[in-house]
Amino acid sequence: LLKNWRKIRVSKLDLSFYEELHKRVAQWNCRVGNEIPSELPSQCFALLENQAKRVVEEANEILDGATKRDVNEILDGIVDTLFTLVYAVEIARKMGYDVAGACKAVCDENDTKLSDNYNLVKEEVDKLNEQFGENYCRMSKTVGAKQAFYCIKRNSDGKVLKFSTHKKVDLNDFIPNGY
């Protein structure tokens, strides 16, 4: 698949990369006349809907590339998805959404899908396998610098699952008033 694996250049993704990307996406959209109306939320919803369709279209390029094992299509899809998603984020920000705050809350919520309690996770895995079938999920262990963490992964696709006590993150604080 990847004959020249060792020759692949790895570049560091850091905050300056994201800052530069945001600046370039905003600059490009300004140059092509994609202005975000600041006073009419209904226009922003239509703009956001169209942008979301572009994000999905580009994300499908990643899926197609991965299915076909086409490394160029994968990278093109990743970059185009990121580009279109950054603009969607900018539209949401102009509408008053606190996207950064919501991202932090979701990251904090995702941390609750991990536990250092082996027995707790084992119980959850047993319950889910009883409910959905013997090989529905498994316990996954990751050892960090100082301790082990456990999570539940669905066998079919490796998705990390929530515990039965999981509380969905409340994003209402990050949505602008009036929506």
Side-chain angles (χ1 to χ4, degrees), residues 17-29 86:
F17 161 79
Y18 292 104
E19 290 168 359
E20 179 66 17
L21 177 65
H22 184 269
K23 178 177 142 193
R24 298 281 306 271
V25 169
Q27 192 176 58
W28 185 86
N29 278 288
V86 166

Side-chain angles (χ1 to χ4, degrees), residues 26 28-37 47 51 54 87 91:
W28 185 86
N29 278 288
C30 182
R31 288 177 179 164
V32 299
N34 289 343
E35 296 183 34
I36 303 169
L47 185 61
Q51 193 65 19
R54 291 183 189 106
Y87 191 58
I91 295 167

Side-chain angles (χ1 to χ4, degrees), residues 94 136 146 151:
K94 291 273 174 125
Y136 176 72
K146 296 183 180 182
C151 67

Side-chain angles (χ1 to χ4, degrees), residues 75-89:
L75 184 57
D76 180 57
I78 289 170
V79 173
D80 288 347
T81 300
L82 191 54
F83 192 94
T84 55
L85 185 59
V86 166
Y87 191 58
V89 168

Side-chain angles (χ1 to χ4, degrees), residues 2 16 49 59 73 76 95 100 122 152 155 158 164-165 173:
L2 296 174
S16 63
E49 180 181 349
E73 178 111 0
D76 180 57
M95 292 173 72
K122 173 90 171 84
I152 307 165
N155 285 325
S164 61
T165 57
D173 290 341

Side-chain angles (χ1 to χ4, degrees), residues 122-151:
K122 173 90 171 84
E123 277 182 39
E124 292 282 334
V125 166
D126 291 344
K127 281 185 213 173
L128 286 168
N129 282 332
E130 186 177 315
Q131 183 178 359
F132 295 107
E134 187 177 332
N135 285 323
Y136 176 72
C137 65
R138 68 186 183 282
M139 180 181 346
S140 179
K141 176 182 178 182
T142 309
V143 179
K146 296 183 180 182
Q147 71 184 92
F149 289 99
Y150 305 94
C151 67

Side-chain angles (χ1 to χ4, degrees), residues 111-123:
D111 287 343
T112 67
K113 297 175 187 176
L114 297 168
S115 177
D116 59 358
N117 185 331
Y118 172 89
N119 292 325
L120 172 84
V121 179
K122 173 90 171 84
E123 277 182 39

